[in-house]
Amino acid sequence: MSVSVEKRDAWFPPDWEDDERMAFLFSAFKENRDVDCTDWDGKIDFWSPLIIDHCRRRGSVCVSLQELNESFRRKGSVPLGLSTVLQSMIRNGKVQKESDFAANVDSGWLSWGVGLLLVRPLKWTLSALLGSGRVPLEESFVVIDLVKEKAAALLAAYRASPLATHSLLSFQELRVLSSHICPDESSLCLALLQLQREKHVTVSLHEGEKLVKFSQAGQGRVPPVSEVDLGIYQLQRSEKLLEERVEVLGQEAEKCKQQAKSLLKEGKKSQALRCLRGSKRVEKKADRLFAQLETVKGILDRIANSQTDRLVMQAYQAGVAALRISLKGVTVERAENLVDQIQELCDTQDEVNQTLASGALDSGEDSEELEEELKSLLEKTIPDNDVLPVVPTHPISPPRKTGILDADFVQSLPSVPDSSLGITDEELDRELSRLTVSDTVVPRGSISAHRKLEPAQ
């Protein structure tokens, strides 16, 4: 891919215009890195990313020393250390010889033919065989990062296309599909080789035709090409050919009808009839092919349904296996025993609850005794130290008007309780002073204001 000098210069870093800096970068490497590691590392760090960026801009995944010399030519000079840079990139795994990259191929690739694998044949040079440190000018190197990018883009393009429903694709169909990703056959083959390494692609040769099979979404790896895949591919090819022939015959029949109309207008009735008969023959042929096309489509539909049924059966089998494992050791007898044990435990728990409830209600004492105790508690609500004298039941005779209490009145007064009231002597004196006979007439029913009788509870 030829690129103008103006566009090429725009790709380079600003150092490209610095003559002194570029004189150093274009010079050869020291014989040993230990002599001057700064010299080595500075040049490697400059040229390695520049080479990868150069290939990415060109849309290629391969590069050769001869191509790099021409692309990086500056003012008539070429870099003298690119061979050393490529060897360093090989050691770091950034590039790999094209021959080494395509060396470990499977039988499918070998059936394609190693010479047909790449546009340029694999180069087994004398220097490679002898292990020479020099890099041949025409030796092709694969940029690993770029070929991985192409492989990922190719797989995404296939899965997003209508061809994703096809189990097999011809190499020519794939070239058309990937024309915007891989500009040439060499890049496409290298991307397919990378996908093969990632277990996403397998290739085969059937009746002289190169076929490619991709892994479907969700598959960890692509399965090998089977007889079913080949049968479906043949049916799909037949379907496509029949559709094309039916379309051509339809156009031919329509053309015959138009000719018949033209001849009839010109008064050539016999010729018009011949054209019309020819149109009918073509239509019958088209109908026959259309019927065959429908048969092929029906077979493809049945195959698709059978594949769906197979997936369903596999799901059922997996479910049965999972159920068998999960129900391992579980039998009807064991389940019944467990249910009986649970029921027995529940009955025992109910009996315990009933026993506890009856014990709480029947604590060994009769209900009548409980009522008597409750009555006594009500009678004892007044503390012992606050017991008042018994309220007299007989009538109190009225006092005399003389203001002096007679003997009968004194006798009618309640007797002083013998029990200790729990009060002080001063309180007793005050209480007695209120009961002392005075000249004042005591009204009927008068009661000490200090203590009032509480009503019977």
Side-chain angles (χ1 to χ4, degrees):
M1 181 183 298
S2 61
V3 181
S4 62
V5 177
E6 292 79 5
K7 291 184 178 180
R8 184 194 65 184
D9 292 343
W11 296 346
F12 296 122
D15 291 350
W16 195 260
E17 301 300 327
D18 188 344
D19 292 340
E20 183 178 356
R21 171 68 174 164
M22 296 312 299
F24 163 72
L25 294 173
F26 269 55
S27 63
F29 281 79
K30 303 294 183 181
E31 293 184 1
N32 193 337
R33 180 180 179 277
D34 297 335
V35 175
D36 190 352
C37 61
T38 304
D39 178 272
W40 272 69
D41 296 342
K43 292 178 180 179
I44 295 294
D45 293 341
F46 177 83
W47 288 112
S48 295
L50 190 60
I51 290 173
I52 296 175
D53 186 60
H54 167 70
C55 295
R56 180 179 286 110
R57 292 179 182 276
R58 291 175 59 248
S60 176
V61 296
C62 295
V63 69
S64 65
L65 180 59
Q66 183 176 7
E67 180 187 347
L68 290 176
N69 286 335
E70 293 299 324
S71 299
F72 295 147
R73 184 180 293 273
R74 180 180 182 274
K75 297 182 179 181
S77 301
V78 296
L80 301 180
L82 291 182
S83 177
T84 305
V85 174
L86 288 175
Q87 292 177 4
S88 175
M89 294 177 72
I90 292 174
R91 289 191 296 269
N92 295 333
K94 295 181 178 180
V95 300
Q96 189 176 6
K97 291 182 181 180
E98 190 179 272
S99 55
D100 294 339
F101 188 84
N104 299 323
V105 295
D106 59 12
S107 58
W109 287 101
L110 293 176
S111 66
W112 281 22
V114 177
L116 299 176
L117 177 63
L118 304 170
V119 175
R120 294 183 298 275
L122 302 180
K123 301 182 180 303
W124 300 92
T125 59
L126 180 62
S127 60
L129 293 175
L130 297 178
S132 173
R134 300 179 58 185
V135 176
L137 291 175
E138 296 181 356
E139 181 76 38
S140 181
F141 295 90
V142 178
V143 183
I144 302 301
D145 288 343
L146 298 184
V147 76
K148 288 182 178 180
E149 293 175 5
K150 295 286 186 183
L154 179 59
L155 182 61
Y158 161 73
R159 291 180 175 175
S161 70
L163 296 176
T165 58
H166 295 190
S167 57
L168 289 178
L169 273 70
S170 68
F171 187 72
Q172 296 303 322
E173 288 176 327
L174 191 57
R175 286 201 63 182
V176 174
L177 178 64
S178 63
S179 58
H180 65 290
I181 300 173
C182 302
D184 50 42
E185 185 177 348
S186 175
S187 299
L188 177 57
C189 288
L190 291 171
L192 289 175
L193 273 171
Q194 179 61 34
L195 288 174
Q196 180 206 0
R197 291 182 172 184
E198 298 172 0
K199 309 299 182 183
H200 287 308
V201 155
T202 183
V203 299
S204 63
L205 189 69
H206 180 67
E207 297 181 355
E209 188 174 16
K210 301 175 185 178
L211 302 177
V212 181
K213 182 177 182 180
F214 286 85
S215 64
Q216 300 299 317
Q219 288 182 334
R221 56 187 302 166
V222 59
V225 178
S226 63
E227 293 296 329
V228 176
D229 294 331
L230 294 174
I232 294 175
Y233 178 74
Q234 291 291 345
L235 286 172
Q236 289 172 343
R237 285 189 60 191
S238 300
E239 180 186 19
K240 184 177 180 181
L241 291 174
L242 288 173
E243 287 176 346
E244 293 175 353
R245 290 183 182 180
V246 168
E247 184 178 358
V248 170
L249 290 175
Q251 294 175 356
E252 185 178 349
E254 185 65 25
K255 183 178 179 181
C256 290
K257 288 181 180 180
Q258 295 297 330
Q259 288 179 353
K261 290 180 181 180
S262 299
L263 292 173
L264 187 59
K265 290 180 180 180
E266 295 175 1
K268 301 176 181 178
K269 185 176 180 180
S270 60
Q271 295 180 3
L273 289 173
R274 285 196 299 270
C275 288
L276 192 58
R277 291 192 189 96
S279 174
K280 295 298 182 181
R281 287 194 299 270
V282 173
E283 287 179 351
K284 288 181 179 180
K285 187 177 181 180
D287 291 340
R288 186 172 64 255
L289 292 180
F290 185 78
Q292 295 174 356
L293 175 61
E294 289 298 315
T295 302
V296 171
K297 288 185 176 181
I299 295 173
L300 287 173
D301 289 340
R302 287 180 178 272
I303 293 175
N305 292 333
S306 66
Q307 291 178 340
T308 303
D309 294 340
R310 186 176 69 251
L311 293 176
V312 173
M313 289 297 296
Q314 291 175 354
Y316 285 169
Q317 290 175 355
V320 169
L323 281 174
R324 183 178 293 110
I325 294 174
S326 61
L327 294 176
K328 186 177 181 181
V330 177
T331 61
V332 177
E333 292 78 8
R334 293 188 63 183
E336 291 177 349
N337 292 334
L338 288 175
V339 172
D340 293 340
Q341 293 177 17
I342 292 173
Q343 186 62 43
E344 183 180 353
L345 291 174
C346 290
D347 295 340
T348 303
Q349 185 181 15
D350 292 340
E351 293 177 359
V352 171
N353 291 335
Q354 292 177 2
T355 302
L356 293 175
S358 61
L361 294 176
D362 300 332
S363 59
E365 297 181 8
D366 191 74
S367 60
E368 294 181 359
E369 295 179 359
L370 293 175
E371 291 180 0
E372 291 295 334
E373 184 177 356
L374 179 61
K375 184 177 180 180
S376 64
L377 289 175
L378 291 175
E379 293 175 353
K380 294 180 180 180
T381 52
I382 301 175
D384 295 338
N385 55 358
D386 290 336
V387 176
L388 296 177
V390 179
V391 178
T393 58
H394 59 275
I396 303 175
S397 57
R400 296 179 180 178
K401 295 182 179 181
T402 57
I404 302 173
L405 298 176
D406 55 8
D408 295 335
F409 175 75
V410 174
Q411 291 295 328
S412 66
L413 293 177
S415 59
V416 178
D418 296 333
S419 61
S420 175
L421 299 178
I423 59 177
T424 63
D425 295 338
E426 294 178 357
E427 290 177 343
L428 290 174
D429 292 339
R430 285 194 298 268
E431 185 69 17
L432 291 174
S433 65
R434 295 191 188 96
L435 298 177
T436 303
V437 179
S438 62
D439 296 335
T440 306
V441 178
V442 179
R444 183 181 297 272
S446 176
I447 303 175
S448 174
H450 181 69
R451 293 182 182 269
K452 294 183 180 180
L453 295 177
E454 294 182 2
Q457 297 293 329

